[in-house]
Amino acid sequence: EVQLVQSGAEVKKPGESLKISCKGSAYTFSSNWIAWVRQMPGKGLEWMGIIYPGDSDTRYSPSFQGQVTISADRSISAAYLQWSSLKASDTAKYYCATLTTVTSPFDYWGQGTLVTVSS
Amino acid sequence: NFMLTQPHSVSESPGKTVTISCTRSSGSVASNYVQWYQQRPGSSPTTVIYEDTQRPSGVPDRFSGSIDSSSNSASLTISGLKTEDEADYYCQSYGSSAWVFGGGTKLTVL
């Protein structure tokens, strides 16, 4: 069974850095895109960016370009989302999800990682 | 890039049929597939319709999808509503290296 397991909830202060992870299993990690999706409290889904672990092709939503960094480590089937300097407005739940091709649906989703940024 | 606009909320009684629209702001809705996701409170989204009209295995045939080029929109129709269908529904499509979600529609089954 395909699974995406995300790292646990985080509580951080403004200005701190953070890297959250998404580990895939039971599928060919390198051959599927992994996307990151933000959901702010009580709000909708927002696509942040996507990476193809096979060649590290990475694309960002203009809304998130320069605000976050997406990476992947094929050797351990993991994808990452990181911030260098968190803001209170980064408080949200972050999901990773797989796609087979760019036009396919977000097939499998992780359980989400809640990030709380508060002084 | 384009936007996908959904009604904020819809409500209907059990056993009835409801349709949720998703209007594409620019470019043709037929140019890229539309997907629909269901998100129950506290859970991750799951796909209920993909490639405009296809239903994943395990999704009841009460769920159906369509597109209408004349209104440049996609629709999700749920017939024989059940209380378990109460959830947020999101449409999603792709274009110009961007993956776009609609704002979501809260379905209340009362």
Side-chain angles (χ1 to χ4, degrees), chain A residues 11-108:
Chain A
V11 180
K12 292 290 198 179
K13 290 182 168 34
E16 292 186 331
S17 63
L18 176 64
K19 190 173 187 177
I20 62 175
S21 66
C22 168
K23 191 165 170 54
S25 61
Y27 74 99
T28 306
F29 184 79
S30 295
S31 303
N32 288 266
W33 296 84
I34 287 203
W36 287 95
V37 176
R38 182 175 80 173
Q39 187 166 39
M40 298 178 77
K43 301 297 184 183
L45 305 174
E46 300 173 86
W47 172 68
M48 302 176 70
I50 195 166
I51 187 166
Y52 188 75
D55 61 6
S56 295
D57 181 5
T58 308
R59 307 175 193 184
Y60 293 92
S61 161
S63 300
F64 294 93
Q65 179 84 47
Q67 308 305 307
V68 297
T69 302
I70 292 171
S71 60
D73 184 341
R74 288 181 294 173
S75 68
I76 57 171
S77 298
Y80 304 96
L81 176 66
Q82 68 181 84
W83 295 259
S84 59
S85 181
L86 286 160
K87 309 180 191 68
S89 57
D90 292 318
T91 294
K93 196 159 198 178
Y94 294 88
Y95 293 98
C96 62
T98 64
L99 296 82
T100 308
T101 71
V102 295
T103 58
S104 67
F106 292 67
D107 295 305
Y108 298 94

Side-chain angles (χ1 to χ4, degrees), chain B residues 9-27:
Chain B
S9 62
V10 295
S11 61
E12 191 49 273
S13 304
K16 299 291 191 180
T17 297
V18 70
T19 298
I20 299 171
S21 62
C22 170
T23 302
R24 181 166 171 152
S25 62
S26 61

